[in-house]
Amino acid sequence: FDDLFMESTETILEEVARLSKIVSEFSQFARMPNPEPREYPLNDVVHSVAVLYRDAHVDLTESLGDDVGNIRIDPERMTQVIQNLVLNAVQAIEGVSRKGRIHLVTQRIASDGVQLSISDNGSGIADADLPRVFTPYFTAKAGGTGLGLAIAHRIIDGHGGRIGVRSQPGEGTTFLIQLPG
């Protein structure tokens, strides 16, 4: 009885944690605040996220353009977007046998814009799923809520930018973010 009780208790606690995560993400999506942009160095935001995700399991590199400079962003919202995309990359890498690589790149793409790309060599996204990745509640991940990329899309849109994705199943994925600035 004691073993069954402990196993049941652990299962219940795991489900409560999972449901709590779903409720939290849904609540965040439903009442997402508008970005409050100010002049801020995009490279600083990218670098701060990169530092959080460096570990022995993933080779995370940065190529931060010297000419990117300050742009009008909400650093907290932009951090949220980058963290979500890097976490997705880490999770995609967990399913492959090769050494995981994530590469973050910022560059000026025109006199009035910058681009951030986040690339990984993970499992990739199925071609049939690509058109739906930013749709709320769509997920191909076990335990996923389908809100992370929808939230990222909403934040980037709120900054007057665009977000897109390219992927090759079995090879990896690149998310491209273009922002005015």
Side-chain angles (χ1 to χ4, degrees):
F1 175 78
D2 289 343
D3 290 342
L4 179 62
F5 180 77
M6 288 304 293
E7 184 178 342
S8 298
T9 300
E10 287 176 19
T11 301
I12 289 169
L13 290 174
E14 288 171 4
E15 284 301 304
V16 166
R18 188 180 68 77
L19 290 172
S20 176
K21 179 182 173 190
I22 291 171
V23 168
S24 175
E25 286 188 9
F26 175 76
S27 176
Q28 182 180 13
F29 182 73
R31 54 185 168 84
M32 172 133 353
N34 289 327
E36 297 179 16
R38 64 182 193 267
E39 292 293 319
Y40 201 88
L42 177 62
N43 286 347
D44 287 2
V45 176
V46 173
H47 180 71
S48 70
V49 173
V51 168
L52 290 175
Y53 285 91
R54 284 203 174 102
D55 67 19
H57 304 292
V58 175
D59 180 17
L60 194 149
T61 57
E62 305 165 66
S63 297
L64 306 179
D66 293 333
D67 60 349
V68 171
N70 290 348
I71 62 171
R72 290 194 52 78
I73 58 172
D74 181 324
E76 288 79 25
R77 300 285 81 75
M78 197 57 60
T79 297
Q80 181 181 1
V81 168
I82 300 167
Q83 282 180 339
N84 180 276
L85 295 174
V86 171
L87 178 60
N88 285 353
V90 168
Q91 292 169 344
I93 289 167
E94 289 172 353
V96 298
S97 57
R98 63 187 169 270
K99 173 74 173 173
R101 289 180 170 52
I102 299 172
H103 190 58
L104 309 174
V105 179
T106 60
Q107 61 186 350
R108 185 151 295 283
I109 54 173
S111 61
D112 63 345
V114 297
Q115 179 172 278
L116 164 64
S117 66
I118 300 172
S119 301
D120 68 65
N121 68 339
S123 56
I125 301 170
D127 291 340
D129 291 342
L130 281 173
R132 302 182 298 169
V133 296
F134 299 111
T135 304
Y137 309 112
F138 172 77
T139 184
K141 293 191 294 188
T145 62
L147 289 174
L149 291 177
I151 290 170
H153 186 274
R154 186 181 279 184
I155 291 171
I156 296 302
D157 189 56
H159 280 80
R162 295 186 315 239
I163 183 171
V165 61
R166 295 187 311 236
S167 189
Q168 184 71 34
E171 299 294 321
T173 301
T174 298
F175 282 91
L176 296 165
I177 298 171
Q178 293 180 352
L179 296 165

